[in-house]
Amino acid sequence: MNTVYLNGQFLPEAQALISPLDRGFTYGDGVYEVIRAYNGKPFLQDEHFGRLADCCAKMRIGAYLTPLHEVPARLLEANGLTGDALIYLQITRGTAPRSHVFPPPETHPTIFGLAWQFTPNPAWAQGMITILEPDVRWSRCDIKVTSLIPNSFSAQRAKELGAHEGLFVRDGVVQEATLSNFFAVSGGEVRTAPLSNYILPGITRAVVLDLCREHGIPFRETPVFATELHQAEEAFLTSTVYDVAPIKSVEGRALPAEHPVTDRIVSLFREVVRRECR
Ligand code: PDD
């Protein structure tokens, strides 16, 4: 049985019990992180913990994160995960009588961690099939909250239509996707939505922008409008789960089969992974 982490203890999953009055259950009141491991080594862990700290602060959840830094490696070890894996960490506002206002400040957050073996879908590297979705999410998409109903609906609709991802369009702008950030390439320039309350500040997104900066690949953080997509030479998605994955089609319209800029970024990204998780 899986060994999981709950509130300071490593224990078998079946013994990890949480109250039904946990705010994560009654209000979806929590934040989370997903960290990738390659060769049994967590990738960009500090960056993920940095974002987790920011999200806790924005949510006014007072969790002490320092002791959690050992959790990913310990979960990998306890579960014999020596190859590719994903680590999930979730922090909720804790258990309290149901009330819309926050529980008393002495309430302990609930902290849960899980790791599992992960094999990327080989179809992703061949090109993502995407659909456009109206972005009906709330206006704080910069916080990685566990309330993921619109993302889940869009992911499900994409699946039912034979697609891999839904691209969220708000005010005509392709903001991001259900679990990834969105990039387009036009005129040789890499473009992605600027950081705002409408997108998650993706860790993979930041690495890709750093790589562009470092290797002289022209880029701009500027809105990409859905109406511009037919002119895009290339488009790709970035996520802890996908790494960097080319987009093959949007709403049934194929993008050019050759995507040299995306290919270059994919190989630069792989070099970073090799360096960090040898
Ligand atoms: N999601 N945008 C959204 C809405 C996301 O949920 C994610 C990640 C990203 C990419 O962020 P990063 O590069 O830091 O993984 C962008 C995770 C993987 C998930 O929900 O499973």
Side-chain angles (χ1 to χ4, degrees):
M1 184 183 295
N2 245 356
T3 295
V4 303
Y5 172 89
L6 183 65
N7 298 332
Q9 285 184 290
F10 291 87
L11 69 186
E13 189 183 316
Q15 289 172 28
L17 303 178
I18 296 171
S19 163
L21 285 180
D22 191 275
R23 297 270 307 192
F25 186 65
T26 52
Y27 286 91
D29 186 2
V31 294
Y32 74 105
E33 269 303 323
V34 182
I35 302 172
R36 181 77 176 266
Y38 301 89
N39 297 321
K41 294 185 187 129
F43 179 58
L44 303 175
Q45 170 165 317
D46 290 348
E47 286 78 355
H48 284 279
F49 271 104
R51 183 170 64 190
L52 187 59
D54 287 346
C55 288
C56 285
K58 287 171 176 172
M59 290 284 279
R60 296 165 60 188
I61 293 178
Y64 183 42
L65 301 187
T66 306
L68 298 184
H69 285 240
E70 62 162 27
V71 170
R74 285 195 58 184
L75 283 175
L76 293 174
E77 197 192 335
N79 291 293
L81 297 168
T82 53
D84 284 0
L86 288 173
I87 301 140
Y88 177 83
L89 293 173
Q90 171 170 341
I91 304 182
T92 77
R93 206 178 298 281
T95 297
R98 189 179 181 280
S99 162
H100 281 35
V101 295
F102 290 174
E106 61 273 16
T107 308
H108 288 292
T110 301
I111 306 180
F112 174 65
L114 179 72
W116 65 97
Q117 197 253 325
F118 174 67
T119 311
N121 180 344
W124 297 338
Q126 300 308 309
M128 292 277 187
I129 300 168
T130 66
I131 57 167
L132 297 177
E133 283 282 290
D135 194 347
V136 297
R137 298 174 300 164
W138 69 333
S139 299
R140 292 308 305 271
C141 304
D142 54 313
I143 313 177
K144 203 163 169 58
V145 287
T146 54
S147 327
L148 287 169
I149 305 305
N151 307 59
S152 177
F153 261 94
S154 296
Q156 180 62 24
R157 205 175 87 86
K159 185 180 173 196
E160 287 167 3
L161 292 172
H164 299 111
E165 260 285 31
L167 307 179
F168 282 129
V169 180
R170 190 189 302 248
D171 300 330
V173 174
V174 185
Q175 300 284 359
E176 59 177 342
T178 69
L179 59 110
S180 53
N181 290 109
F182 171 81
F183 290 73
V185 182
S186 22
E189 181 187 59
V190 174
R191 289 169 57 189
T192 193
L195 292 183
S196 75
N197 53 317
Y198 292 136
I199 68 165
L200 186 79
I203 305 295
T204 322
R205 174 189 182 280
V207 172
V208 163
L209 294 181
D210 280 348
L211 287 171
C212 289
R213 208 170 282 122
E214 205 179 312
H215 294 273
I217 301 170
F219 74 94
R220 211 153 32 114
E221 292 174 84
T222 189
V224 179
F225 290 88
T227 51
E228 294 177 278
L229 288 180
H230 66 280
Q231 296 164 349
E233 292 138 21
E234 305 178 30
F236 60 90
L237 297 172
T238 64
S239 154
T240 297
V241 175
Y242 305 146
D243 297 342
V244 180
I247 293 180
K248 185 153 80 178
S249 67
V250 181
E251 287 282 325
R253 212 182 45 75
L255 273 91
E258 302 284 307
H259 32 73
V261 177
T262 309
D263 291 346
R264 178 144 184 242
I265 292 170
V266 168
S267 74
L268 291 170
F269 187 82
R270 285 192 186 139
E271 272 173 40
V272 177
V273 171
R274 265 195 296 274
R275 203 171 59 223
E276 298 286 317
C277 299
R278 239 193 290 266

